[in-house]
């Protein structure tokens, strides 16, 4: 962190160096964001399927798990994932072989794991709602027209499910943008961590607002993306 | 299959002793009737009497517990013959019947034309050898057929609209055309107009009348007594899972014998 102490002469220099540091932190934020989506979406789909399974115990356990995860703070889950192995089992993440003694990597992966589980549970509920909102009559209409189960799902149901989940997914993904800031509590050097380090070491406050602008811009892009998807779909039906 | 199936009076559709229970409650308690080619059967009866369940059994959306269904003398359903319940056989036999739902159930993401062609295209893809060699020809033929049907129900100019852009009556007419695309031998309707205003009801009933004139065999569950009276060749009055009374509309409506039917008609 010595870099942070290097003497800045002019305001312009400070601005450039802060921008550079924040951009570096933002890279980590983006990585956490996209990797969370990448893993949480398929996992959420799997959770949604299990929570609708015919096998009752599986359904019950899945729903109970989702209930617990959604009912407790992500912050708590982060701390448990990152610190519990070390405290309870004397096997701290940082010492795990797969991380090759790369401490920041181990924190990042721990945080990513907690994010993926947490968001998979939220996504699972959204997917389940989206699937269950399709009227039974749509399946039956396909059935009497002689379509197979897979034709029914891929040709008729899927797009309607996507249509149903765009709005809630948009909300959830925007929340994820901001939630990534929680990763700093388990030593992931993302943009918010970087900004608070600057505050702590250089006593300048404005980088916090600058950081806010990064989040704002990014949420705006995410919202815009979902808005376009929604518009594309609603061209067809209300 | 060594069983003998009698083909009474050249019936196209024959339903014999059909029964169906949901848990403890028996909803169909032995329904039998037969229908000749080109005839229209109207099914009337109060709420909960089992009319929808009967149609759903005909269309394989429910599996009856007992009884048989014969089409042209050939069994398509026989509770005593499990081989007919094999998914492959069901998928083949179910296309004998078409079903028009009370609330249309058009596919919202597809245009009117696509709603008509979707199932036909998917079926051609799987079953028509010509689809591989001359895809365009097959697709064009399906399109032509769909457009002809749209012409017939008076909605040719709406072919590129989406269901949400149509009135209820128009949507129901499209749903009828969609069912006709698969050329079912028997077309079933479950209260096709009960979700519609009186004005829109007329245009749907006109289409059904037109189908009758063209020789389509139909089973119509309806609350429109006037319609049943002048379109049906045969009327069945259901009460509590049994056929309480049946006959030609002229007799059944003018001189009902069963007291339940009398009170039903006087409502
Ligand atoms: N899937 C089901 N599970 C349990 N009971 C059912 C089911 N479907 C229908 N029933 C029951 O079967 C009985 C007959 O229902 P059905 O829908 O066939 O009546 P209906 O004559 O079509 O009535 P309506 O005029 O109201 O449409 C009702 O008592 C209903 O509650
Ligand atoms: Mg009904």
């Amino acid at each position: 962190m010595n870099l942070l102490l290097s003497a800045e002469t002019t305001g312009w220099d400070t601005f450039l160096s802060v921008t550079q540091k924040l951009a570096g932190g933002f890279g980590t934020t983006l990585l956490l964001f996209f990797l969370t989506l990448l893993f949480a979406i398929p996992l959420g789909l799997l959770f949604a399927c299990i929570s609708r399974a015919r096998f009752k115990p599986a359904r019950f356990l899945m729903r109970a798990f989702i209930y617990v995860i959604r009912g407790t703070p992500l912050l708590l889950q982060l701390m448990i994932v990152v610190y519990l192995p070390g405290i309870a089992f004397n096997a701290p993440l940082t010492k795990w072989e797969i991380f090759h003694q790369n401490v920041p990597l181990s924190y990042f992966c721990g945080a990513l794991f907690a994010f993926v589980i947490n968001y998979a549970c939220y996504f699972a509920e959204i997917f389940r709602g989206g699937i269950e909102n399709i009227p039974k009559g749509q399946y039956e209409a396909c059935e009497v027209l002689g379509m197979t189960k897979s034709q029914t799902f891929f040709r008729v149901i899927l797009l309607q499910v996507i249509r149903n989940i765009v709005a809630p997914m948009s909300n959830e993904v925007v929340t994820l943008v901001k939630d990534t800031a929680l990763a700093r509590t388990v030593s992931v050097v993302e943009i918010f961590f970087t900004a608070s380090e600057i505050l702590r070491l250089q006593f300048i406050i404005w980088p916090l607002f600058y950081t806010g602008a990064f989040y704002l811009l990014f949420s705006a892009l995410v919202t815009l993306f979902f808005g376009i998807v929604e518009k594309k779909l609603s061209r067809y039906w209300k | 299959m060594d069983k003998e199936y009698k083909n009474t009076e050249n019936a196209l559709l024959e339903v014999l002793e059909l029964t169906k229970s949901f848990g403890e409650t028996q909803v169909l308690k032995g329904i039998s009737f037969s229908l000749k080619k080109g005839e229209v059967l109207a099914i009337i009866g109060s709420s909960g009497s089992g009319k929808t369940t009967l149609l759903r059994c005909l269309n394989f959306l429910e599996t009856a517990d007992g009884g048989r269904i014969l089409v042209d003398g050939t069994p398509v359903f026989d509770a005593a013959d499990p081989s007919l319940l094999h998914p492959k056989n069901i998928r083949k036999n179910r296309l004998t019947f078409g079903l028009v739902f009370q609330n249309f159930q058009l596919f919202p993401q597809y245009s009117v034309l696509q709603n008509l062609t979707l199932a036909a295209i998917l079926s051609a893809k799987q079953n028509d050898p010509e689809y591989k060699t001359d895809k365009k020809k097959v697709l064009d033929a399906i399109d032509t057929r769909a457009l002809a049907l749209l012409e017939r129900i008076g909605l040719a100019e709406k072919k590129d609209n989406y269901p949400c852009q149509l009135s209820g009556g128009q949507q129901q007419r499209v749903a009828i055309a969609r069912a006709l695309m698969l050329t079912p031998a028997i077309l079933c309707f479950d209260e096709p107009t009960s979700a519609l205003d009186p004005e829109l009801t007329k245009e749907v009933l006109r289409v059904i009348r037109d189908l009758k004139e063209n020789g389509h065999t139909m089973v119509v569950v309806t609350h429109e007594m006037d319609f049943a009276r002048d379109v049906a060749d045969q009327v069945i009055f259901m009460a509590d899972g049994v056929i309480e009374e049946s006959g030609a509309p002229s007799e059944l409506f003018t001189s009902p014998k069963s007291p339940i039917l009398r009170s039903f008609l006087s409502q």
Side-chain angles (χ1 to χ4, degrees):
Chain A
M1 293 290 130
N2 266 342
L3 267 180
L4 292 176
L5 288 171
S6 61
E8 252 81 51
T9 46
T10 67
W12 181 242
D13 281 342
T14 316
F15 181 75
L16 282 183
S17 89
V18 165
T19 303
Q20 205 172 26
K21 286 168 196 159
L22 290 183
F26 195 58
T28 307
T29 298
L30 285 183
L31 197 63
L32 183 59
F33 173 84
F34 283 112
L35 287 179
T36 300
L37 285 185
L38 182 70
F39 294 116
I41 288 175
L43 191 63
L45 212 53
L46 180 70
F47 283 3
C49 291
I50 298 175
S51 69
R52 286 170 43 78
R54 286 222 188 104
F55 184 56
K56 265 202 179 143
R59 200 168 65 200
F60 174 79
L61 284 177
M62 193 70 251
R63 290 191 189 184
F65 180 75
I66 291 174
Y67 180 80
V68 169
I69 295 290
R70 295 196 346 141
T72 54
L74 173 55
L75 190 54
L76 175 68
Q77 295 156 16
L78 272 169
M79 299 220 165
I80 289 178
V81 168
V82 175
Y83 299 127
L84 192 76
I87 295 167
F89 305 103
N90 202 21
L93 281 189
T94 47
K95 299 263 163 63
W96 285 21
E97 250 170 60
I98 44 166
F99 299 129
H100 302 294
Q101 302 191 330
N102 182 336
V103 174
L105 179 69
S106 72
Y107 285 137
F108 181 85
C109 289
L112 178 63
F113 183 81
F115 269 90
V116 166
I117 295 291
N118 182 278
Y119 271 83
C121 288
Y122 279 95
F123 291 162
E125 286 297 278
I126 292 175
F127 296 158
R128 186 159 72 92
I131 292 169
E132 286 174 1
N133 260 341
I134 308 292
K136 217 172 104 230
Q138 287 284 302
Y139 293 93
E140 292 180 344
C142 294
E143 208 180 327
V144 295
L145 290 171
M147 294 188 206
T148 62
K149 284 229 164 77
S150 81
Q151 288 170 343
T152 302
F153 184 76
F154 288 107
R155 295 309 196 96
V156 176
I157 304 298
L158 184 61
L159 197 62
Q160 296 185 48
V161 173
I162 293 175
R163 164 75 227 237
N164 279 350
I165 66 175
V166 178
M169 279 300 274
S170 170
N171 286 334
E172 215 45 56
V173 175
V174 169
T175 307
L176 174 61
V177 172
K178 295 172 286 178
D179 270 358
T180 53
L182 290 173
R184 81 180 241 280
T185 55
V186 290
S187 316
V188 174
V189 188
E190 42 68 74
I191 187 169
F192 206 80
F193 189 106
T194 314
S196 33
E197 280 301 286
I198 295 171
L199 173 66
R200 192 168 67 83
L201 300 169
Q202 293 175 277
F203 306 109
I204 37 181
I205 190 83
W206 61 261
L208 282 183
F209 296 102
Y210 196 5
T211 301
F214 271 90
Y215 283 112
L216 200 57
L217 180 68
F218 192 47
S219 337
L221 287 178
V222 169
T223 310
L224 190 70
F225 168 78
F226 279 98
I228 291 171
V229 173
E230 184 153 26
K231 199 153 180 209
K232 272 236 147 73
L233 291 174
S234 61
R235 209 178 54 204
Y236 301 139
W237 80 94
K238 331 187 251 298
Chain B
M1 235 166 289
D2 45 14
K3 232 176 260 158
E4 268 299 306
Y5 291 104
K6 287 201 304 283
N7 191 2
T8 42
E9 346 147 15
N10 293 324
L12 173 66
L13 170 66
E14 230 178 325
V15 173
L16 300 164
E17 286 300 321
L18 214 60
T19 56
K20 173 73 185 169
S21 301
F22 291 111
E24 296 288 285
T25 44
Q26 191 168 22
V27 175
L28 299 181
K29 301 172 180 168
I31 300 288
S32 304
F33 63 86
S34 68
L35 194 63
K36 285 193 196 128
K37 191 168 173 6
E39 278 188 341
V40 175
L41 169 69
I43 301 179
I44 59 173
S46 53
S47 185
S49 55
K51 308 180 298 292
T52 296
T53 308
L54 174 59
L55 280 197
R56 290 173 62 85
C57 287
L58 290 181
N59 283 276
F60 299 91
L61 289 176
E62 306 282 358
T63 309
D65 306 325
R68 299 190 316 222
I69 301 170
L70 278 64
V71 174
D72 243 344
T74 317
V76 294
F77 173 81
D78 185 341
D81 181 357
S83 75
L84 284 175
L85 292 178
H86 190 276
K88 224 175 89 194
N89 281 328
I90 287 188
R91 208 136 57 76
K92 182 177 63 126
N93 286 330
R94 78 172 340 137
L95 292 182
T96 317
F97 296 91
L99 178 60
V100 174
F101 296 84
Q102 186 174 353
N103 44 7
F104 333 133
Q105 298 297 352
L106 295 178
F107 306 132
Q109 71 267 43
Y110 289 119
S111 71
V112 165
L113 184 63
Q114 289 169 322
N115 262 277
L116 265 65
T117 56
L118 179 67
I121 292 172
L122 292 176
S123 144
K125 225 179 212 167
Q126 288 201 317
N127 309 320
D128 189 348
E130 212 182 358
Y131 186 86
K132 281 208 184 70
T133 54
D134 199 348
K135 188 169 155 184
K136 191 170 178 308
K137 188 178 150 207
V138 174
L139 292 182
D140 282 350
I142 291 173
D143 262 5
T144 311
R145 224 147 48 78
L147 288 171
L149 276 172
L150 286 178
E151 194 74 51
R152 200 157 138 204
I153 58 165
L155 287 176
E157 81 282 10
K158 298 278 187 198
K159 71 182 170 66
D160 294 321
N161 286 56
Y162 286 87
C164 68
Q165 299 167 317
L166 304 181
S167 75
Q170 292 171 334
Q171 289 189 47
Q172 191 59 301
R173 282 145 67 196
V174 172
I176 294 172
R178 181 177 71 175
L180 287 172
M181 273 302 282
L182 300 171
T183 57
I186 299 142
L187 186 55
C188 304
F189 297 80
D190 191 1
E191 303 190 25
T193 60
S194 64
L196 301 175
D197 299 337
E199 259 320 292
L200 303 178
T201 296
K202 272 190 224 151
E203 63 185 51
V204 171
L205 295 183
R206 199 178 315 130
V207 168
I208 299 178
R209 273 199 189 90
D210 171 65
L211 292 181
K212 180 189 159 112
E213 268 153 38
N214 281 283
H216 285 270
T217 312
M218 293 181 278
V219 177
V220 188
V221 170
T222 185
H223 285 303
E224 302 283 333
M225 295 306 147
D226 292 337
F227 171 76
R229 197 192 305 254
D230 47 79
V231 177
D233 300 288
Q234 224 192 111
V235 181
I236 282 179
F237 171 64
M238 282 182 69
D240 198 23
V242 297
I243 296 181
E244 178 73 18
E245 190 164 338
S246 68
S250 53
E251 302 159 29
L252 195 122
F253 286 113
T254 46
S255 51
K257 295 185 193 68
S258 147
I260 312 176
L261 175 56
R262 242 175 279 151
S263 82
F264 176 79
L265 290 176
S266 65
Q267 274 165 21

